[in-house]
Amino acid sequence: MEEKILTPETPENEEPKSDKSKGQELKEKLFYEQKDAFNGLTKEIRDAAQAFCVPYAKFLDNAKTEREAVNEGIKMAEAHGFVPYTFGQPVKAGDKFYINNRGKSLHVFVIGSEPLENGIRISAAHVDSPRLDLKQHPVYEDNGACYLKTHYYGGIKKWQWVTIPLAIHGTVCKNDGTTVDICIGEDDNDPIFYITDILPHLGHEQNGRPMGSAIDGESLNVMVTASPYDDDKADQKYKLNFLAAMYEKYGITERDLMSAEISIVPAMKARDLGLDRALIAAYGHDDRVCAYPMMLATVEAENPVHTLYAIFADKEETGSDGPTGMQGSLMTDVFADLANTMGANINVVRANSKCLSADVNAAFDPKFGGQFEARNSSYINKGVVVTKYTGGGGKGGTNDASAEYVGYIHNLLIREGILFQTGELGRVDAGGGGTVAKFISMKNIDTIDIGVPVLSMHAPYEVVSKYDIYETYRCVKAFNEDI
């Protein structure tokens, strides 16, 4: 018996039927077609994306550490009328506040016109990136040069950090209680720094090792001087030459370095990639590529209906621990304070709140296609990626967003004409990773990951699409404005 397909009755005044077969019409109705920036976005939107990424590139160059990103975020907030918040102060609709959390994370919020118990619209991204940190006793000399000992931060491929130009960034708390910021290697007139590698003629033993152990963590020592201090009576002249130069420039001593936070980062600026300028290559896209559009979409909001809350989070790359990570209590402390001030039940506030955890996903790379599952990967130039779950193996360590919340986000993006896709972090049992989403959702807040697909994630120089960045901005903006 022939199977009949049920369709709505055809109105009498309907246009003549197309030449498509019933199967073709049904396929058009039932199949999902993923579009990209070139058939899913207008030229006007693509041009806007190009313009949007000019200040984004400047943000990246100015924000190579979480402290610098916080400083840039405060500038963005203050330019839109935000002021520091004090716990317990009175608030009213339209008020704009920020909290600088120890210089390493930033919380920005604007009070909406509706009751707080209707929920808060939260967006959170992290601004720490994989790097090399100096140890507390970093300075030593060896065979005619001075070096700095490092301890890598976050998940890196150690071999990617040798033989590239490096810069020194950081903050030093001096013995007299004052602090000084350090930045050497970014100005065109600055020197750069460097980690050496063995030449191929002598590298046969190294070549025989697995890539993961070809470079040892303890060998990631940064060369900083190669000439001695000019004093015949002094010893350790190469080390002395470095410390003397740092003392002259910054007034710091070796003891001061014990209480410092100093990082080694790539001394490379953000650049357009390719003759079509569709991509940007830079250090720190993960996760500043989500943090910048998220923060901008929040601080631009004027008189929002919802109370909006945006976070530059720290420590995501190492587990979100500590007072500046998302496992800290600052966000919920602020919510409780606002609820108390505004006469709201904090449990109701949290239950009705919604969150976008803005973090990157792994873009499909055809050179390494075997590590991806192509049907469920994200791709460059196909828009903001909605990631229902992250984690690893059997979805361990993840927030897995509910069907209802995923449906809400998908329908919002479709309604607003925002180009989006879905994805996960590699093949089952081959990939995986985590974001801040699980720590927010644990507060009884619906949360889902959205963000930008990245090529060469965690490398010193990563690659993203300008169109995906702009669609992430449009996504957060639509989320903030949705009634």
Side-chain angles (χ1 to χ4, degrees):
M1 179 182 294
E2 182 181 353
E3 181 181 359
K4 293 185 179 181
I5 299 174
L6 299 179
T7 59
E9 292 185 3
T10 305
E12 293 181 358
N13 60 349
E14 184 183 27
E15 294 293 326
K17 291 185 177 181
S18 70
D19 292 333
K20 296 178 182 177
S21 69
K22 186 177 295 184
Q24 288 173 319
E25 290 179 348
L26 190 61
K27 178 182 176 182
E28 189 174 281
K29 177 181 179 179
L30 300 182
F31 279 37
Y32 174 73
E33 179 186 1
Q34 176 67 58
K35 295 185 177 181
D36 61 27
F38 311 105
N39 62 18
L41 296 176
T42 65
K43 184 179 184 302
E44 180 182 22
I45 292 178
R46 293 198 301 272
D47 289 345
Q50 290 282 345
F52 183 87
C53 288
V54 173
Y56 167 63
K58 293 180 180 178
F59 171 81
L60 284 180
D61 291 342
N62 293 332
K64 289 193 173 182
T65 68
E66 67 278 8
R67 286 182 178 271
E68 292 168 349
V70 166
N71 289 339
E72 292 298 309
I74 290 173
K75 291 177 185 177
M76 293 167 64
E78 290 182 340
H80 288 84
F82 286 72
V83 297
Y85 177 75
T86 302
F87 280 93
Q89 74 175 82
V91 300
K92 64 181 184 304
D95 283 350
K96 303 175 178 181
F97 300 105
Y98 70 83
I99 298 175
N100 179 353
N101 184 11
R102 297 166 171 83
K104 302 181 71 175
S105 72
L106 178 66
H107 292 233
V108 170
F109 53 102
V110 54
I111 307 301
S113 60
E114 69 178 7
L116 193 67
E117 288 186 345
N118 286 7
I120 298 172
R121 295 296 171 96
I122 309 158
S123 50
H126 68 91
V127 288
D128 60 317
S129 295
R131 60 179 187 256
L132 307 179
D133 285 341
L134 293 195
K135 295 188 176 185
Q136 289 185 283
H137 294 281
V139 191
Y140 76 99
E141 69 172 61
D142 191 2
N143 284 289
C146 179
Y147 299 89
L148 300 177
K149 296 288 296 181
T150 69
H151 192 133
Y152 63 89
Y153 173 95
I156 68 169
K157 292 180 177 179
K158 293 183 281 290
W159 55 267
Q160 293 180 331
W161 286 77
V162 300
T163 71
I164 64 172
L166 300 169
I168 298 177
H169 291 237
T171 298
V172 180
C173 183
K174 299 167 64 174
N175 293 332
D176 62 7
T178 62
T179 59
V180 59
D181 293 329
I182 293 174
C183 182
I184 312 173
E186 298 294 349
D187 188 273
D188 290 340
N189 294 318
D190 282 352
I192 59 163
F193 306 97
Y194 191 79
I195 300 172
T196 59
D197 192 13
I198 193 167
L199 63 162
H201 312 70
L202 302 177
H204 302 297
E205 188 272 334
Q206 182 193 62
N207 290 341
R209 301 179 206 160
M211 289 179 68
S213 59
I215 300 293
D216 181 70
E218 287 292 352
S219 71
L220 293 173
N221 303 321
V222 183
M223 181 181 287
V224 290
T225 59
S227 59
Y229 187 80
D230 188 14
D231 185 335
D232 291 339
K233 295 183 179 180
D235 61 358
Q236 297 191 68
K237 296 178 184 179
Y238 294 90
K239 176 178 176 178
L240 180 59
N241 204 23
F242 169 74
L243 290 173
M246 294 298 285
Y247 184 76
E248 180 180 357
K249 186 174 179 66
Y250 296 107
I252 61 176
T253 68
E254 184 174 18
R255 180 182 172 185
D256 294 327
L257 297 179
M258 294 170 59
S259 55
E261 290 182 353
I262 299 179
S263 299
I264 307 298
V265 299
M268 299 179 283
K269 297 188 183 301
R271 300 285 299 274
D272 286 351
L273 174 69
L275 295 178
D276 56 355
R277 298 184 180 272
L279 309 177
I280 301 180
Y283 166 67
H285 282 312
D286 179 10
D287 184 35
R288 296 168 198 137
V289 73
C290 297
Y292 176 84
M294 173 211 72
M295 184 61 69
L296 191 61
T298 301
V299 300
E300 287 179 340
E302 293 291 340
N303 302 313
V305 173
H306 311 294
T307 293
L308 307 180
Y309 200 100
I311 305 167
F312 275 7
D314 182 29
K315 295 290 188 291
E316 191 276 342
E317 297 294 359
T318 56
S320 295
D321 299 301
T324 57
M326 281 310 304
Q327 293 202 65
S329 67
L330 181 57
M331 183 189 77
T332 50
D333 288 348
V334 175
F335 286 9
D337 197 58
L338 292 175
N340 182 63
T341 299
M342 302 174 74
N345 184 320
I346 183 57
N347 296 324
V348 175
V349 173
R350 288 204 309 264
N352 289 331
S353 294
K354 295 181 173 65
C355 177
L356 296 181
S357 169
D359 208 341
V360 298
N361 203 321
F364 183 87
D365 189 336
K367 289 174 57 180
F368 306 100
Q371 300 304 112
F372 296 84
E373 198 270 277
R375 293 178 183 84
N376 288 284
S377 295
S378 58
Y379 294 78
I380 60 170
N381 292 327
K382 290 190 177 182
V384 58
V385 54
V386 179
T387 305
K388 184 179 188 296
Y389 52 83
T390 55
K395 295 187 180 180
T398 182
N399 163 66
D400 192 345
S402 69
E404 291 84 355
Y405 194 51
V406 175
Y408 162 72
I409 294 298
H410 284 185
N411 291 333
L412 171 65
L413 298 179
I414 292 169
R415 186 174 73 244
E416 296 299 323
I418 296 167
L419 184 66
F420 78 97
Q421 57 185 313
T422 64
E424 59 183 53
L425 286 166
R427 295 176 62 87
V428 175
D429 293 331
T435 68
V436 301
K438 65 179 181 179
F439 305 117
I440 298 174
S441 63
M442 288 167 61
K443 310 301 182 185
N444 193 30
I445 297 172
D446 276 325
T447 306
I448 194 168
D449 282 295
I450 62 96
V452 177
V454 178
L455 290 167
S456 303
M457 189 190 299
H458 280 215
Y461 217 49
E462 302 167 316
V463 175
V464 298
S465 160
K466 293 180 180 180
Y467 309 119
D468 299 337
I469 300 172
Y470 192 60
E471 293 307 279
T472 299
Y473 164 76
R474 295 180 65 213
C475 170
V476 179
K477 187 175 177 67
F479 173 75
N480 287 345
E481 295 175 352
D482 182 53
I483 305 301

